[in-house]
């Protein structure tokens, strides 16, 4: 395997792991708020600080899939990117500190769905990685 093919598989892996880590961090902040370990202002500010860092790696990942011509992974990643960009454009990507208790179940559910989708993408990505490595050795 050449260095280029190794980079083609490492960059998306670390990008997906970054997105999964950010989602897990946001979910932990919301759960801490729910169990009253954190006040609403701290929880909302922590979630809002990393909101854009969730969208950027996914956009870079889609551009990387486009550049490396991994069409199936690009098509699987676009709905998640579209959803996040739509939230950003409508200014709903941030958590409102005054309404956080009313929106807490929805915010947790939304992040759990995103986390599940990213984990699905990670498993799909690992499948394609293993498939291509085995195909190279044949």
């Amino acid at each position: 395997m050449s260095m280029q093919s190794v980079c083609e598989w490492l960059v998306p892996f670390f990008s997906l792991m970054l997105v999964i880590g950010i989602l897990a961090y946001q979910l932990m902040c919301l759960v801490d708020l729910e169990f009253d370990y954190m006040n609403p202002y701290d929880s909302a500010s922590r979630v809002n600080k990393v909101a854009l860092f969730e969208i950027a790696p996914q956009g870079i990942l889609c551009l990387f899939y486009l550049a490396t011509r991994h069409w199936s992974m690009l098509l699987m990643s676009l709905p998640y990117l579209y959803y996040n960009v739509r939230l950003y454009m409508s200014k709903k990507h941030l958590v409102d500190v005054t309404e956080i208790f009313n929106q807490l179940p929805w915010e947790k559910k939304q992040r759990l769905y995103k986390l599940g989708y990213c984990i699905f993408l990670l498993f799909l990505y690992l499948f394609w990685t293993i498939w291509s490595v085995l195909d190279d050795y044949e």
Side-chain angles (χ1 to χ4, degrees), residues 7-19 22 51-70 73-75 77-78 80-82 84-85 121 125:
C7 287
E8 282 182 16
W9 296 116
L10 285 179
V11 169
F13 177 76
F14 288 122
S15 296
L16 269 174
M17 292 306 294
L18 179 66
V19 171
I22 290 170
L52 287 180
F53 294 115
E54 175 190 351
I55 301 170
Q58 189 66 27
I60 291 169
L61 187 61
C62 286
L63 289 174
F64 189 80
Y65 286 144
L66 182 66
T68 57
R69 295 188 221 154
H70 292 120
M73 287 304 295
L74 175 66
L75 289 175
S77 296
L78 280 178
Y80 180 71
L81 180 66
Y82 171 74
N84 281 333
V85 168
L121 286 177
Y125 165 76

Side-chain angles (χ1 to χ4, degrees), residues 19-27 54 80 111 114-115 118:
V19 171
I20 289 171
I22 290 170
L23 286 171
Y25 175 75
Q26 290 177 350
L27 200 54
E54 175 190 351
Y80 180 71
R111 279 160 181 80
K114 286 180 176 184
L115 187 64
C118 285

